[in-house]
Amino acid sequence: MTARKQVLLVHPLGYGAAAAGQDISRLANIMPPLGLASMAAYLGRRGIGVDIVDCYARPDSDRLIRDLLLDRRPGLIGLSCTTSSFHDAVRIALLAKQALPGVRSVFGGPHVSALKEKLFVDYPAMDFAVVGEGEEALAELVEADGDDPSGIKGIIHREGGDGAPRFTGYRERGIELDSLPFPAYEKLAGFPASYMLPIFNYPRTPNTSCISSRGCPYACSYCDRSVFRRTFRYNSAEYLYDHLKYLRERFGIRHINFYDDQFTFNRKRVEAFTGMMIDKPLGMTFNCAVRAEHIDPELVRRMKTAGCWMMSLGIETGDEALLAQHRQNPDLAQLADKIRMIKRAGIRTKGLLMIGLPGETEETIRHSKEYVFSLPIDDFNLAKFTPFPGSPVYEKIHELGTFDEDWEKMDCMHFQFVTKGMTAARLEELFQDFYRSHFQRPKVLMGYVAMLWRSPDSWLRFLRSAGDFVRFTRVNKRLMDEGAPDPP
Ligand code: B12
């Protein structure tokens, strides 16, 4: 027998546990699964028992999952899936059904929200899926307890004798974010010590990430918006301040990384929030991502006073014509001005770039390098362009180049898509060269030296993992020499 009002939520690792030690992005960055933690808190409030297993933070968790299934006997196991972690989620669902016959699986997250019923045809281990945000839909599914779920909006279930999947349709309204409880951080084993922000992205520990809005009104070609679609909802400044106060008082958190797509989209909210951080300081600093259109000198100065330590900006490419094909307002001069303005305010800047977009050439990559290197950018991230189901560009991707849709490798660390006129090997070479050139610049090196006192914990972590970073670089070089494009 399984328990009626008990759920096990799992954040899959995405690949075999043995490889976790060599996953360079995981070594540098382990973030709490905020979606699962938010659902856990919401379900808890409705009297539903929840456990969370985060395999990303604890890679070897199969036994723990089995033990929890046998001990708690949940009626549902919920799996959160990006595209690259989907197959691992299916493996865990099968493992669960073997360990606890009768347990039913429910899948959620971006990959499921994008592909919906299509997935059910090839993956019989899927009993249910939630499309879009999960709190209310999952609670209603648990409460239906095996009754006909066809009246619950936002889910996919199997119907009739042949088990054909049926989507009940989108929920009418997005959840009012201030009505949600704070995420159940306490259900994440070892929080906050078992989580870590990217190296050189924080001044002190303990730290964590936070989301204070859902959705984005823009429609960039490469962005998968299938979960929150084009809505933009946000927590009020008061809720946000209380959330940070809670993190400070209950867990001792001293720095926050906001993962909002558009933290400053609503200027009034940021004004009010920074006002509270200035008038009633919490002893906390924060990072956030901004778009050039939504910042100005006064706001940036205010944010600095309130504790803003670093701002990230999506640059994507330094070639304006290429940018115009993929994003609205492709104004690189305005972006450059704003980056200089942020830097002048004493805030660290991070540029987010992509390489391998449809239409990329040797020349556009050269433009990107020149652009980035002409700006006071302290840190940058260069992702390998990956066309995710749910992103606008996915629809016509096969017309734009060659695409090997191997989901497990669609983690922005592999060139699964190669635009016309390029080869994967050449893209890999240019990718390596971009990073190498960045790290060879004296200004950048001096910046990292300054991190000795601005973020001493980052240096400790860097030195502890230095062997893995060197091994990663060597393996990449060997693969490149052999003409194989994929990193390990
Ligand atoms: C923070 C973040 C990260 C963090 C941490 C992720 C984590 N542990 O949760 C880091 C930096 C590690 C990361 C890594 C990656 N990320 Co990321 N990330 C995000 C980001 C910005 C916020 C995620 C978040 O917390 N959202 C807020 C919560 C409330 O929403 P949510 O997680 O979607 O959960 C809700 C619903 O999806 C649903 N739901 C989710 N899971 C489940 C499970 C069940 C059972 C149910 C019922 C419902 C449900 O209910 C939740 C609550 O409403 C999103 C973009 C975004 N704005 O959402 C991208 C995003 C999820 N990432 C993306 C990508 C591509 C990646 C990477 C592949 C590449 C990269 N380096 O960026 C890796 C893959 C990691 C992996 N193994 O899966 C894509 C995913 C696209 C896709 N189809 O796969 C997104 C959507 C960005 C985008 N727009 O393209 N990411």
Side-chain angles (χ1 to χ4, degrees):
M1 272 288 283
T2 53
R4 286 183 64 211
K5 289 179 113 196
Q6 185 72 36
V7 178
L8 173 62
L9 296 176
V10 180
H11 181 213
L13 175 62
Y15 46 78
Q22 288 100 56
D23 176 357
I24 207 74
S25 60
R26 188 186 157 276
L27 283 171
N29 185 15
I30 304 180
M31 297 288 96
L34 294 173
L36 291 187
S38 173
M39 286 190 294
Y42 182 81
L43 295 183
R45 198 165 74 180
R46 282 175 72 150
I48 299 165
V50 187
D51 291 289
I52 305 181
V53 176
D54 182 0
C55 307
Y56 206 69
R58 298 174 69 162
D60 211 355
S61 289
D62 281 7
R63 171 170 294 177
L64 176 63
I65 293 173
R66 244 184 241 120
D67 290 350
L68 277 168
L69 286 166
L70 296 179
D71 182 38
R72 305 273 217 262
R73 309 192 79 76
L76 282 172
I77 178 165
L79 298 136
S80 186
C81 313
T82 57
T83 297
S84 61
S85 67
F86 175 74
H87 279 135
D88 196 28
V90 172
R91 182 191 68 80
I92 295 169
L94 289 167
L95 173 152
K97 283 168 179 282
Q98 227 172 32
L100 182 65
V103 71
R104 285 174 305 165
S105 66
V106 50
F107 287 64
H111 189 66
V112 178
S113 295
L115 291 177
K116 303 197 227 18
E117 300 99 307
K118 283 182 211 136
L119 293 169
F120 280 66
V121 178
D122 294 326
Y123 299 95
M126 297 178 79
D127 295 315
F128 299 105
V130 166
V131 176
E133 54 191 349
E135 288 85 352
E136 294 176 345
L138 182 58
E140 288 169 25
L141 186 64
V142 175
E143 283 160 3
D145 188 32
D147 290 345
D148 178 15
S150 54
I152 305 171
K153 285 280 183 205
I155 67 159
I156 303 172
H157 64 107
R158 293 188 185 271
E159 214 176 36
D162 59 354
R166 179 176 167 264
F167 177 37
T168 57
Y170 288 101
R171 295 184 78 83
E172 261 148 41
R173 217 174 283 131
I175 299 171
E176 162 66 57
L177 296 190
D178 277 7
S179 74
L180 289 176
F182 300 143
Y185 300 100
E186 71 285 359
K187 289 192 185 287
L188 300 169
F191 181 87
S194 45
Y195 292 90
M196 49 195 111
L197 288 173
I199 288 180
F200 302 121
N201 278 221
Y202 56 89
R204 49 202 172 165
T205 57
N207 49 50
T208 191
S209 55
C210 187
I211 286 255
S212 69
S213 60
R214 290 185 180 179
C216 174
Y218 292 98
C220 302
S221 76
Y222 41 79
C223 187
D224 173 5
R225 289 170 303 116
S226 35
V227 173
F228 303 120
R229 303 198 285 157
R230 282 182 83 172
T231 62
F232 183 73
R233 286 164 287 135
Y234 49 87
N235 285 127
S236 65
E238 292 74 19
Y239 181 103
L240 181 51
Y241 179 83
D242 288 348
H243 192 166
L244 262 53
K245 191 161 181 258
Y246 170 73
L247 284 166
R248 178 81 179 115
E249 287 171 359
R250 169 118 193 232
F251 302 104
I253 299 294
R254 297 168 72 207
H255 179 80
I256 295 280
N257 193 74
F258 286 110
Y259 263 115
D260 300 57
D261 292 328
Q262 304 291 337
F263 186 72
T264 56
F265 189 73
N266 186 310
R267 195 182 191 284
K268 281 206 157 32
R269 173 181 96 116
V270 182
E271 261 176 42
F273 165 66
T274 47
M276 283 182 243
M277 293 291 277
I278 295 166
D279 295 342
K280 301 175 279 176
L282 294 171
M284 293 170 96
T285 45
F286 64 92
N287 300 343
C288 60
V290 296
R291 232 181 124 112
E293 298 94 309
H294 303 298
I295 46 164
D296 55 72
E298 198 214 314
L299 190 68
V300 167
R301 273 197 301 275
R302 205 177 155 85
M303 289 173 77
K304 167 73 183 169
T305 316
C308 185
W309 192 76
M310 185 171 87
M311 282 187 187
S312 308
L313 294 105
I315 298 173
E316 318 311 348
T317 166
D319 185 280
E320 205 157 89
L322 183 60
L323 193 58
Q325 291 172 37
H326 296 283
R327 165 179 169 164
Q328 292 118 309
N329 310 335
D331 187 345
L332 286 175
Q334 182 198 42
L335 185 55
D337 285 348
K338 296 290 174 89
I339 290 172
R340 291 194 188 95
M341 182 253 286
I342 296 169
K343 189 68 189 163
R344 273 198 305 276
I347 296 173
R348 204 169 146 76
T349 57
K350 180 170 181 173
L352 308 173
L353 283 108
M354 267 181 217
I355 182 166
L357 279 159
E360 188 90 272
T361 61
E362 302 253 348
E363 200 189 359
T364 58
I365 295 173
R366 190 161 44 76
H367 288 162
S368 280
K369 271 176 70 178
E370 285 166 5
Y371 182 72
V372 171
F373 295 174
S374 73
L375 293 170
I377 282 183
D378 300 296
D379 197 358
F380 89 130
N381 188 288
L382 185 59
K384 295 178 180 172
F385 165 75
T386 307
F388 288 105
S391 63
V393 77
Y394 179 82
E395 301 303 320
K396 51 172 189 279
I397 198 67
H398 290 285
E399 295 162 26
L400 304 169
T402 55
F403 178 31
D404 175 9
E405 192 169 345
D406 178 343
W407 291 340
E408 217 159 298
K409 288 188 181 164
M410 285 167 61
D411 56 3
C412 302
M413 302 276 284
H414 297 75
F415 286 114
Q416 292 309 109
F417 169 80
V418 179
T419 186
K420 280 184 182 157
M422 271 283 180
T423 64
R426 184 63 186 144
L427 278 172
E428 185 62 39
E429 231 165 54
L430 294 164
F431 170 83
Q432 301 278 332
D433 169 68
F434 207 141
Y435 263 116
R436 219 180 4 252
S437 316
H438 168 73
F439 286 114
Q440 280 167 356
R441 292 188 299 142
K443 219 166 63 186
V444 169
L445 288 176
M446 286 314 291
Y448 286 110
V449 171
M451 285 293 116
L452 277 170
W453 56 93
R454 293 197 69 196
S455 180
D457 183 76
S458 287
W459 267 104
L460 283 176
R461 271 174 64 200
F462 179 76
L463 293 173
R464 252 184 264 130
S465 310
D468 296 309
F469 287 113
V470 171
R471 232 187 337 274
F472 173 76
T473 317
R474 282 212 189 111
V475 174
N476 260 320
K477 182 167 182 326
R478 180 172 53 73
L479 287 169
M480 261 170 58
D481 293 345
E482 288 165 2
D486 299 332

